Amino acid sequence: MKNNKYKYILKSKTQKFFEEGYQRTFLPINRSINSFPVINSNSKKIKIWCTNDYLNMSHNQEVIDESTKILKQVGTGSGGTRNISGNSPYHESLEKKIASFHNTEKSIIFSSAYTANQTSLWTLCKAFEKLCVFSDKLNHASLIQGIKNSGVECKIFDHNNLEHLESLLKKTNEEIPKLIVFESLYSMNGTIVEVNKYVELAKKYNAMTYLDEVHAVGLYGNKGSGLANYFGVSDQIDLINGTFAKGFGQIGGYVVGKTYLIDYLKTFAPGFIFTTSMMPSTAGAISKSISIVEQEDEKRKYIQEMSNYLKNLLRINKIPFIENNSHIIPIMIFDAMLVKKYSQTLLNDFGLYIQPVFYPTVAKNRARLRLTITPKHNIDDIHELIYALKKIISPKDSLISTKKQFDYSI
Ligand SMILES: Cc1ncc(COP(=O)(O)O)c(C=O)c1O
């Protein structure tokens, strides 16, 4: 192929996507320890309403001190993969810490939860000659990639629909090994799933379970150890995945489970074996963050109270959002162009930063503003937000009112 042909193919794909209205913007922001949730963007002070630094642990002074101390002692990079000179006491103690946080036998850490999901699922699926995966329709891209890349059979069940899941399990040959892949808290809808019911089905049909708790760890369950813990089944899920980047405010991901499963992943997962390990100072900072998060019941309670307060004001003001029991509040706008316009107006006219969410993060025509609250947001912040939302989103807006009864589950 001629050189300019490559360029033509790639450029026209990007251009077509942009023309359909799906071009993403990446707002440069300077977060500040002293002023959060007020941050700086293009020399303007704005308030952030879309962070995943749920407990604002990225600004915790003890974590920063721990990270700085280790950084000064051992330097920046780890020096290699875990296998080739990149294993430190900080990595090992983090693995012990996160396994005990989930009350499981063992853990394996990765450079991100995305990598953790992709490589763990790929590796797990590859172990069996004929495996059938049952995957929730709204599962995260990292879960989908892991399953798809492995080439195993995959049956998609409707979002959080246990009846549909059971009908698919029932139809599948008893002898075929099975794996149910799901999340405990769906980040774009804010749905909390009843993890115990998935465990029951898994037992009934003799299936393994892989649970993504990325948006739940730090915020739900005993000491923030997640929704599997909340529903009393953390010891009955085969593999639980989580992130260090949201509730713990750092970077990296992990999987926990029984020793034989983690040993299998440590032995065969390419995304663990063939990549440089995280910075030792990061591993140390995460361990510190976990210890602090375990003690943060007050903050967990505060976030739920503030979320409920905000949801109530949205209801009163007839601003449509997806009802759920979590701290994630998705305001449905549906149209990608419209959500971008709203986001821009919020930023320019009100100094509020809510990133517009649209395809392919969510399905086409399911665009939304996704709000999250941290312990640093207060009642006045909420009132300021509601005032701005009321100004820009009218309940009479035809686009919203005509689609009120829309099926959010797709
Ligand atoms: C459900 C889910 N799983 C996994 C990930 C990946 O997490 P990380 O940012 O640690 O790679 C995300 C990212 O937002 C997510 O939403």
Side-chain angles (χ1 to χ4, degrees):
M1 202 186 282
K2 279 195 180 144
N3 239 347
N4 56 0
K5 187 85 177 160
Y6 292 112
K7 185 174 167 184
Y8 171 78
I9 291 172
L10 297 174
K11 264 191 95 166
S12 55
K13 277 192 187 294
T14 314
Q15 209 164 332
K16 182 168 172 288
F17 203 66
F18 285 1
E19 280 163 11
E20 285 168 355
Y22 302 124
Q23 180 167 12
R24 285 166 192 267
T25 50
F26 301 92
L27 189 72
I29 61 169
N30 267 322
R31 303 162 89 242
S32 158
I33 297 170
N34 300 322
S35 66
F36 193 85
V38 174
I39 55 174
N40 226 292
S41 176
N42 299 320
S43 310
K44 198 180 154 195
K45 279 192 182 2
I46 55 172
K47 201 171 283 172
I48 190 164
W49 274 102
C50 57
T51 185
N52 281 340
D53 184 8
Y54 295 138
L55 291 161
N56 197 221
M57 288 308 292
S58 71
H59 288 159
N60 183 283
Q61 198 53 53
E62 283 180 72
V63 176
I64 295 168
D65 290 345
E66 181 72 4
S67 169
T68 315
K69 189 185 83 190
I70 302 169
L71 201 62
K72 287 190 172 158
Q73 278 168 5
V74 307
T76 48
S78 74
T81 64
R82 288 289 294 281
N83 189 34
I84 306 178
S85 85
N87 190 34
S88 75
Y90 301 103
H91 296 92
E92 293 193 348
S93 61
L94 173 58
E95 281 183 338
K96 285 201 180 87
K97 180 101 200 160
I98 196 68
S100 101
F101 177 73
H102 281 280
N103 210 6
T104 49
E105 288 177 8
K106 211 167 176 176
S107 87
I108 172 171
I109 58 172
F110 299 89
S111 47
S112 72
Y114 189 102
T115 306
N117 279 338
Q118 197 184 31
T119 199
S120 301
L121 279 170
W122 181 87
T123 312
L124 187 63
C125 291
K126 284 281 181 195
F128 303 90
E129 207 154 280
K130 207 172 182 202
L131 176 83
C132 185
V133 173
F134 299 82
S135 174
D136 186 291
K137 192 169 188 173
L138 293 193
N139 270 347
H140 188 256
S142 53
L143 300 166
I144 297 169
Q145 282 299 311
I147 300 164
K148 261 193 178 170
N149 292 350
S150 75
V152 293
E153 183 185 10
C154 180
K155 297 184 178 175
I156 314 280
F157 58 93
D158 293 342
H159 175 52
N160 196 24
N161 186 332
L162 287 150
E163 273 175 33
H164 190 212
L165 169 61
E166 178 154 24
S167 74
L168 296 174
L169 285 162
K170 213 179 260 175
K171 273 187 234 155
T172 309
N173 185 330
E174 256 178 53
E175 298 306 315
I176 292 178
K178 301 173 188 69
L179 172 68
I180 302 171
V181 179
F182 65 118
E183 300 177 25
S184 60
L185 168 49
Y186 281 83
S187 80
M188 290 301 148
N189 285 20
T191 331
I192 287 179
V193 315
E194 291 173 292
V195 183
N196 50 322
K197 296 199 171 156
Y198 287 79
V199 169
E200 274 169 35
L201 273 188
K203 280 186 186 158
K204 187 168 170 188
Y205 292 92
N206 218 359
M208 292 186 291
T209 42
Y210 186 103
L211 176 65
D212 177 316
E213 289 246 50
V214 158
H215 292 273
V217 281
L219 283 106
Y220 300 87
N222 184 33
K223 297 185 178 177
S225 63
L227 284 159
N229 170 282
Y230 175 83
F231 287 105
V233 289
S234 42
D235 58 338
Q236 293 165 60
I237 301 281
D238 289 297
L239 290 169
I240 294 179
N241 154 264
T243 185
F244 297 127
K246 303 185 197 298
F248 300 125
Q250 314 303 311
I251 186 81
Y254 62 89
V255 173
V256 297
K258 295 248 180 331
T259 302
Y260 76 95
L261 280 161
I262 301 301
D263 284 349
Y264 169 76
L265 293 179
K266 279 199 162 171
T267 309
F268 296 111
F272 171 77
I273 301 167
F274 301 109
T275 188
T276 302
S277 62
M278 66 173 61
M279 286 162 61
S281 56
T282 303
I286 298 167
S287 291
K288 179 57 107 185
S289 181
I290 297 169
S291 296
I292 297 167
V293 165
E294 284 178 317
Q295 308 305 319
E296 296 286 24
D297 282 347
E298 281 305 310
K299 288 190 179 154
R300 281 184 273 280
K301 201 169 145 230
Y302 178 85
I303 289 174
Q304 293 307 320
E305 283 169 2
M306 288 295 117
S307 308
N308 289 338
Y309 186 79
L310 171 49
K311 283 176 190 170
N312 209 26
L313 287 183
L314 290 172
R315 278 184 211 110
I316 290 168
N317 289 288
K318 299 196 167 29
I319 298 170
F321 66 99
I322 302 181
E323 293 282 355
N324 60 51
N325 293 322
S326 74
H327 66 287
I328 294 170
I329 308 176
I331 297 180
M332 295 307 291
I333 308 297
F334 301 101
D335 183 72
M337 293 299 210
L338 193 60
V339 81
K340 281 185 186 182
K341 194 181 107 191
Y342 283 166
S343 173
Q344 204 58 50
T345 309
L346 285 167
L347 191 64
N348 294 344
D349 299 356
F350 299 93
L352 301 176
Y353 173 36
I354 312 175
Q355 185 67 24
V357 177
F358 49 85
Y359 181 78
T361 306
V362 292
K364 284 183 179 167
N365 299 320
R366 304 293 191 283
R368 62 200 72 182
L369 294 167
R370 175 186 178 271
L371 302 174
T372 51
I373 296 188
T374 73
K376 300 269 175 81
H377 290 85
N378 60 32
I379 295 261
D380 289 343
D381 296 326
I382 292 178
H383 289 165
E384 178 191 40
L385 171 71
I386 291 287
Y387 173 81
L389 289 172
K390 258 168 64 181
K391 286 270 176 208
I392 63 155
I393 306 176
S394 156
K396 289 194 198 77
D397 189 321
S398 61
L399 235 160
I400 292 170
S401 55
T402 55
K403 293 189 179 177
K404 240 185 197 156
Q405 301 306 320
F406 222 79
D407 181 5
Y408 296 127
S409 69
I410 46 175

